[in-house]
Amino acid sequence: MRLGNYEDDNLRRILSASVTALTRVCGDYDINLDEEFKELVFERSRYIYNDALEYFNDNFLTEINSLGVAKALEEIVLEDGETDVGV
């Protein structure tokens, strides 16, 4: 990806759209704290930049599902406050 004035704005828009889309699908992750989520955002952005977004979901389905399931398990809280991971 090239960087320049126009490209900076374009990349910011692409990265922002990727964070929004992946948050909607995977859950509310902090891109600054979760490296796996950050990697997925960068990969989705790369696909957008290269006009190949239609291939992203198929190619990263495992990672998308893993993050979504992990976030769902975090939100399952027992009455005593412990997380039920179903193990």
Side-chain angles (χ1 to χ4, degrees), residues 22 25-26 40 56-57 60-69:
L22 289 170
V25 174
C26 299
L40 205 54
F56 174 77
N57 286 337
F60 288 91
L61 187 59
T62 300
E63 292 84 353
I64 293 167
N65 285 339
S66 293
L67 284 173
V69 168

Side-chain angles (χ1 to χ4, degrees), residues 9-47:
D9 291 340
N10 189 40
L11 290 175
R12 280 189 188 93
R13 184 186 58 75
I14 289 171
L15 287 166
S16 177
S18 291
V19 168
T20 300
L22 289 170
T23 297
R24 187 175 30 248
V25 174
C26 299
D28 190 19
Y29 283 93
D30 185 340
I31 193 168
N32 297 309
L33 300 176
D34 192 287
E35 291 297 318
E36 191 174 359
F37 183 73
K38 181 188 292 187
E39 173 93 17
L40 205 54
V41 167
F42 287 150
E43 289 297 339
R44 185 179 187 279
S45 298
R46 186 173 58 88
Y47 274 70

